[in-house]
Amino acid sequence: LVELWDIMNPDAPIPTKDQIRQAIELSSVENIAFDPIEKSITIKEIGAGIDLGGIAKGYAADLTVKRLKEKGVLHGFISLGGGVQAFGGKSNGDPWVLGLQNPIEPESGHFARYEVFDGAVVTSGDYQRYKEVEDIVYHHIIDPRDGYPVQEGLASVTVFTENSTEADAYSTAFYIMGFDESMNFIENNE
């Protein structure tokens, strides 16, 4: 679905309903086989694939923090486009201070601040990776249920957790779920 939409290519055509339907079929988890013993993944259907955009940057940040700590680094701040992972606070004992970008008017700057010593802050939104075709804005977060860019009325979702992989996954999932479904999930899960 992500390849089909090709959001970052302004010249890519908007997919047809048939193309989207076929991509949804190829995107089924049924097309993936995981072997826990071999620690391998097999894609069973030609043309199917896996897109890790919902967790890849978060996972990379977590691995980076782990490696830095193994090397003896006590204080760090990693920023990977939409997400940050901090540890140890600043060397002077102060917290890292993050600004949350205004998703409605990104050029206006930040609308909130957050202080963090240890943890991840990840935002998913529709205001940085998108294209406009015939006065319709299409962004990069695709709803796997219908194959179209999410239209749940949220401009962005920011999640604060202990690790970036989790924050990345939740911010994407909550953006897709929308406000009410996300709040229900949060209220009913640890």
Side-chain angles (χ1 to χ4, degrees):
L1 285 166
V2 172
E3 286 181 15
L4 179 64
W5 278 96
D6 199 9
I7 291 298
M8 296 311 292
N9 179 355
D11 298 322
I14 300 305
T16 66
K17 287 182 181 182
D18 282 342
Q19 289 173 314
I20 291 169
R21 181 187 50 74
Q22 290 171 356
I24 288 173
E25 290 173 10
L26 287 172
S27 298
S28 170
V29 71
E30 302 298 321
N31 290 327
I32 301 167
F34 175 66
D35 183 334
I37 296 168
E38 293 293 323
K39 295 184 177 158
S40 66
I41 294 174
T42 303
I43 297 174
K44 298 189 255 181
E45 186 72 33
I46 293 174
I50 299 173
D51 182 290
L52 300 174
I55 64 166
K57 287 189 278 186
Y59 183 66
D62 287 338
L63 289 179
T64 303
V65 168
K66 181 181 178 193
R67 180 63 55 106
L68 290 171
K69 286 180 175 181
E70 288 171 355
K71 298 291 183 185
V73 176
L74 301 175
H75 311 276
F77 184 89
I78 296 150
S79 176
L80 296 174
V84 299
Q85 176 77 35
F87 64 97
K90 293 181 179 180
S91 60
N92 67 1
D94 289 343
W96 299 101
V97 179
L98 311 174
L100 299 181
Q101 186 175 18
N102 183 335
I104 306 300
E105 297 175 356
E107 66 284 347
S108 71
H110 302 103
F111 74 95
R113 287 173 21 122
Y114 182 73
E115 295 181 351
V116 61
F117 284 95
D118 292 289
V121 180
V122 176
T123 299
S124 294
D126 64 4
Y127 56 96
Q128 291 202 339
R129 290 192 280 171
Y130 64 90
K131 67 180 169 186
E132 192 171 334
V133 178
E134 297 178 8
D135 296 327
I136 299 174
V137 176
Y138 300 93
H139 62 83
H140 75 292
I141 303 175
I142 308 300
D143 189 330
R145 299 169 291 196
D146 68 9
Y148 286 85
V150 174
Q151 297 297 320
E152 288 295 330
L154 298 174
S156 71
V157 171
T158 300
V159 173
F160 307 87
T161 64
E162 291 182 15
N163 70 71
S164 287
T165 305
E166 188 175 86
D168 210 356
Y170 279 131
S171 70
T172 303
F174 291 158
Y175 188 88
I176 292 169
M177 291 162 57
F179 183 80
D180 291 337
E181 192 177 344
S182 296
M183 292 307 296
N184 183 50
F185 179 90
I186 291 166
E187 289 168 3
N188 291 297
N189 292 279
E190 235 176 85

